[in-house]
Amino acid sequence: MKLNAVELREVALPLVSPFRTSLGTQTVRTALLVRVLSDEGEGWGECAAEDEPTYCPEYLAGAADVIKRFMLPALAPLDLEPAAVGPALRHLRGHPMAKAAVETAVLDCWLRARRTSLAAHLGGVRRRVRVGVSVGITETVDALLDTVDRHLTAGYARIKLKIEPGWDLEPVRAVRETFGAGVMLTVDANTAYQPGDLRHLAKLDAYGLALVEQPFAPDDLHAHAALAARMDTPVCLDESITSARDAAEAIRRGACSIINIKPGRVGGYLEARRIHDLAQANGVPVWCGGMLETGLGRAANLALASLPGFTLPGDISATERYYHRDITRPFVLDGGELPVPAEPGLGVLPEEADLQACTTAVETVSCTF
Ligand code: SMG
Ligand code: MG
């Protein structure tokens, strides 16, 4: 497959409600969409990078720049297949989300031409997957209880509460007491705690959580291992894991017993599958994380979540939890599950009118370098 041109499109989708985490508050999801045009047709990928480098070092404008300036010139001369994208970009340090977006667009194009779905290509075994919802920090505990109530009524299979110092034991206790022991409940700190908070965090053991996600800094495996040794609640890593090698090291050091796999964070769906395989071989459950994706990224995440080792519900919620107007057909929750797209490639395409409505910038880069 030869690239002819690549379209880089910036979109802005207002969220149905503000999403507050320990990193800040989001009201709009800006995203970068990559569309490859090749001799075999077209394919789409979504870059998980956000406007600002707060969740991770990448940011949207930087991702667009590195794709244009360095990635496309490296890929343009090649006779491409999806597995060749990663190796062809290996000399470029970092930028996993930009790499993932390009690889996904190539995968989508290649699979469409071969009439194969991403789920089938990755080795998916489920046609539907159980999903959870990530609940942001709210003004009051009452507001949190209302939000959780709404999501449980909708049927979500798991509730994840965002926490930070000053918003942890109390809201978690309130949710557990109000909704009972039967609710699968987790917490995510997005690195907001210090190693000295270990004793405080261990008090979360009282609330029967399925896991505590990334309390400490991304590079602090030591603190996570110390917490894991002290807590009954399983420790899950998100920001710390950027590759299968990271995952192996974290497991070896006892820094986690569960892994959140986000394809963008680890450089693409193929590396995500390698982490899945490694975790499975080590008896470590995995689940698919979310970056407030549009329908394009959500479709691909559903494919990944259909692999056998994804035994916990992921952060892949229904379209209406994120956007009034998305760019693809909506994903609708049914019995706590979402359907895995069965059509070729990602299985969805942007609707032209919806795409136009949210586009803030678009540039076509010709691949004749
Ligand atoms: O896509 O449903 C979603 C959001 C899930 O909480 C979510 N993602 O750390 O896991 C995480 C966060 C990262 C994005 S907010 C900065
Ligand atoms: Mg997280």
Side-chain angles (χ1 to χ4, degrees):
M1 185 178 122
K2 288 281 286 180
L3 295 182
N4 296 327
V6 172
E7 185 186 272
L8 299 174
R9 180 184 296 263
E10 211 184 291
V11 294
L13 287 76
L15 293 170
V16 293
S17 56
F19 186 53
R20 178 170 161 211
T21 72
S22 65
L23 302 167
T25 303
Q26 278 177 279
T27 55
V28 178
R29 178 54 158 133
T30 49
L32 176 69
L33 306 181
V34 177
R35 177 186 178 208
V36 300
L37 304 156
S38 82
D39 58 349
E40 295 194 8
E42 68 171 86
W44 290 81
E46 174 173 345
C47 183
E50 299 180 306
D51 245 352
E52 297 177 5
T54 51
Y55 166 81
C56 69
E58 288 184 274
Y59 62 102
L60 195 147
D65 188 70
V66 75
I67 290 172
K68 221 171 7 186
R69 199 186 292 267
F70 299 106
M71 295 184 186
L72 299 184
L75 296 176
L78 306 180
D79 183 12
L80 272 184
E81 57 175 336
V85 175
L89 302 180
R90 197 163 286 153
H91 64 293
L92 302 172
R93 211 175 278 281
H95 301 285
M97 291 177 169
K99 289 174 179 172
V102 172
E103 185 194 80
T104 304
V106 170
L107 257 172
D108 184 38
C109 180
W110 193 82
L111 290 171
R112 279 179 199 283
R114 285 155 187 78
R115 309 291 308 156
T116 303
S117 71
L118 180 60
H121 180 70
L122 294 175
V125 294
R126 298 183 200 102
R127 292 164 60 177
R128 312 167 52 76
V129 296
R130 288 202 311 148
V131 296
V133 61
S134 176
V135 181
I137 294 166
T138 49
E139 285 291 324
T140 62
V141 170
D142 280 348
L144 179 70
L145 295 177
D146 284 348
T147 306
V148 171
D149 189 36
R150 209 160 25 81
H151 292 314
L152 288 174
T153 303
Y156 282 106
R158 183 226 61 190
I159 300 288
K160 159 164 134 179
L161 303 179
K162 290 290 187 178
I163 59 167
E164 66 182 4
W167 182 265
D168 45 31
L169 302 179
E170 185 51 26
V172 171
R173 184 191 62 77
V175 169
R176 180 55 88 205
E177 283 185 359
T178 306
F179 301 103
V183 173
M184 192 193 294
L185 196 60
T186 73
V187 294
D188 183 5
N190 287 110
T191 74
Y193 292 86
Q194 302 297 321
D197 296 324
L198 205 144
R199 284 159 56 102
H200 177 73
L201 286 166
K203 294 182 187 156
L204 287 167
D205 269 345
Y207 307 112
L209 301 176
L211 61 89
V212 50
E213 180 177 345
Q214 196 75 43
F216 306 119
D219 61 357
D220 200 347
L221 289 186
H222 179 77
H224 288 101
L227 183 66
R230 189 180 176 108
M231 250 185 135
D232 294 331
T233 307
V235 173
C236 170
L237 290 176
D238 172 352
E239 284 90 331
S240 293
I241 308 296
T242 65
S243 65
R245 194 154 39 140
D246 283 354
E249 178 68 4
I251 294 169
R252 189 186 69 74
R253 290 181 54 180
C256 66
S257 53
I258 297 177
I259 295 175
N260 164 336
I261 302 184
K262 286 180 186 162
R265 196 191 65 226
V266 304
Y269 287 86
L270 302 182
E271 185 71 3
R273 181 174 56 185
R274 286 190 277 275
I275 297 176
H276 161 273
D277 295 350
L278 172 111
Q280 221 185 6
N282 284 277
V284 169
V286 300
W287 54 281
C288 185
M291 290 299 292
L292 306 169
E293 283 85 356
T294 73
L296 274 180
R298 191 177 332 289
N301 284 352
L302 284 164
L304 180 68
S306 73
L307 269 66
F310 283 77
T311 51
L312 293 167
D315 284 341
I316 319 174
S317 309
T319 303
E320 63 169 17
R321 177 256 176 267
Y322 305 100
Y323 308 115
H324 291 299
R325 185 173 190 181
D326 200 345
I327 56 173
T328 66
R329 65 174 160 82
F331 288 94
V332 180
L333 195 69
D334 180 11
E337 299 179 326
L338 287 179
V340 177
E343 300 83 355
L346 305 188
V348 296
L349 279 173
E351 310 277 350
E352 192 56 34
D354 297 325
L355 196 58
Q356 293 303 338
C358 66
T359 297
T360 50
V362 58
E363 180 182 0
T364 302
V365 184
S366 164
C367 287
T368 48
F369 293 97

